[in-house]
Amino acid sequence: MLKYVSRRFLAMLLTLWVIITATFTLMHAVPGSPLNSEQTTNETVRANLEAYFGLDQPVIDQYFSYLQSLMQFEFGPSIAQPGVSVNDLIARGFPVSLELGVYAIAIALVSGVILGVLSALKRNGLIDYTLMTFAVLGLSVPNFILAALLIHSFKDCLPIATWQSWQHMILPVFALATSPMAIIARLTRSTMVDVLTQDYIRTAQAKGLSPVTIVVKHALRNGLMPVATILGTLIAGVLTGSFVIEKIFAIPGIGRYFVEGINNRDYPVIMGTTIFYSAILLVMLFLVDIVYGFLDPRIKLHRKEGH
């Protein structure tokens, strides 16, 4: 298991390096310059700004200089916002994005598991068909379309912009949580239907155990293993999906700074937010994979036999 964790960690670092290199290459391959504006028409001003931001150096030198800064956890200054560093923007926006993502994934996980278990227990009945219909709708409607519908429907009774109180959180959290909740519900339902037909479940039923005990103590652990497998991917989807939701609801998170960075061709902001999010997602996928190995002892045995 220790060897597996070490390999996964090294693979995570390698993947992050590839993302950093690809992001840097794409940013410098885009035609134009972040200094193409009315304020930089003067050649002297433009040359001074290029020297200040290091844009007058060869690309390879800029690349290694950027890698050196990243090793010190420095993402550089923002070009569009003088005097503000990318670290400042991340420190300002990440707590909001994290709060939005945590609420969304928590609601999606709890609601999805409950709906999936209930649907499995009432399979092939009205409750099952109704819940799975809502799950299909949740998967079919993109979160930005759902966000627009929620704003139109609840604009008179709920605040629809910024991030100031729990009332401001309801609509964006629901819009962001709907799709992963539907995925978890369908996956939990499918797995629980199979688990509830196993021999050990029939044995528990024959012993006279209550349905709640059977589901919670015997069936749910095995039923949630596939959910644990995709949890990292769902977290990644929630965090990246929050970019659009933050822009629609005017939430001051990293997503808003990322979109503004694209509009302003602010290379450091685009690269910094991309790399920061990528690092978080890779760490989450790494942790979920390790947790899944502890949940299912068969995986650890298989890995040891493979060595």
Side-chain angles (χ1 to χ4, degrees):
M1 191 63 181
L2 181 59
K3 291 181 179 179
Y4 171 76
V5 172
S6 301
R7 288 201 309 270
R8 287 288 296 145
F9 182 75
L10 292 176
M12 180 183 68
L13 294 180
L14 178 61
T15 304
L16 183 59
W17 172 76
V18 171
I19 292 173
I20 293 171
T21 303
T23 304
F24 183 90
T25 303
L26 290 174
M27 286 297 97
H28 285 77
V30 174
S33 168
L35 298 179
N36 287 342
S37 65
E38 296 180 358
Q39 287 77 17
T40 57
T41 54
N42 185 288
E43 291 299 326
T44 303
V45 174
R46 183 185 179 87
N48 290 336
L49 288 175
E50 287 182 346
Y52 176 77
F53 291 110
L55 299 177
D56 59 337
Q57 302 176 5
V59 175
I60 189 65
D61 292 341
Q62 294 183 43
Y63 173 71
F64 285 109
S65 177
Y66 190 68
L67 286 181
Q68 185 177 4
S69 298
L70 290 180
M71 294 179 67
Q72 300 173 0
F73 301 100
E74 290 291 339
F75 294 102
S78 170
I79 295 177
Q81 302 183 49
V84 178
S85 69
V86 180
N87 291 60
D88 294 334
L89 296 178
I90 292 176
R92 189 187 308 165
F94 179 63
V96 178
S97 296
L98 179 62
E99 190 176 12
L100 173 62
V102 168
Y103 286 148
I105 200 64
I107 290 175
L109 182 60
V110 174
S111 302
V113 169
I114 293 175
L115 295 178
V117 171
L118 182 60
S119 183
L121 293 175
K122 304 294 183 179
R123 60 185 177 275
N124 299 326
L126 179 60
I127 294 178
D128 182 21
Y129 293 140
T130 301
L131 293 178
M132 289 302 102
T133 299
F134 280 112
V136 171
L137 290 175
L139 288 171
S140 304
V141 181
N143 58 16
F144 60 89
I145 298 294
L146 180 60
L149 293 174
L150 291 173
I151 291 174
H152 179 74
S153 301
F154 297 98
K155 59 184 178 182
D156 295 328
C157 56
L158 286 173
I160 59 174
T162 70
W163 189 260
Q164 298 175 359
S165 65
W166 65 269
Q167 291 96 335
H168 292 81
M169 303 177 185
I170 295 175
L171 296 184
V173 167
F174 184 79
L176 195 58
T178 300
S179 181
M181 178 177 63
I183 295 173
I184 293 172
R186 287 175 60 84
L187 184 59
T188 303
R189 189 259 183 200
S190 176
T191 308
M192 287 295 294
V193 167
D194 179 66
V195 169
L196 291 173
T197 61
Q198 299 298 315
D199 291 337
Y200 70 92
I201 297 297
R202 295 193 183 98
T203 301
Q205 292 171 340
K207 291 181 178 179
L209 298 179
S210 65
V212 175
T213 302
I214 293 174
V215 170
V216 174
K217 290 189 176 182
H218 298 280
L220 199 56
R221 178 177 179 179
N222 291 329
L224 290 182
M225 285 185 181
V227 175
T229 305
I230 67 166
L231 192 58
T233 305
L234 290 180
I235 293 174
V238 167
L239 290 176
T240 54
S242 68
F243 281 19
V244 178
I245 297 299
E246 288 177 12
K247 187 65 176 177
I248 292 175
F249 289 97
I251 297 174
I254 294 182
R256 189 178 75 175
Y257 298 127
F258 177 78
V259 174
E260 291 175 353
I262 293 177
N263 294 333
N264 297 325
R265 288 187 177 182
D266 196 338
Y267 291 174
V269 171
I270 298 173
M271 290 189 294
T273 53
T274 301
I275 294 168
F276 181 76
Y277 259 123
S278 299
I280 292 176
L281 301 184
L282 289 173
V283 170
M284 291 305 303
L285 291 172
F286 171 75
L287 293 178
V288 168
D289 198 27
I290 301 304
V291 170
Y292 187 69
F294 283 106
L295 287 176
D296 192 349
R298 295 172 297 178
I299 294 180
K300 291 186 289 185
L301 178 62
H302 175 72
R303 288 167 184 157
K304 290 178 180 179
E305 290 175 349
H307 293 312

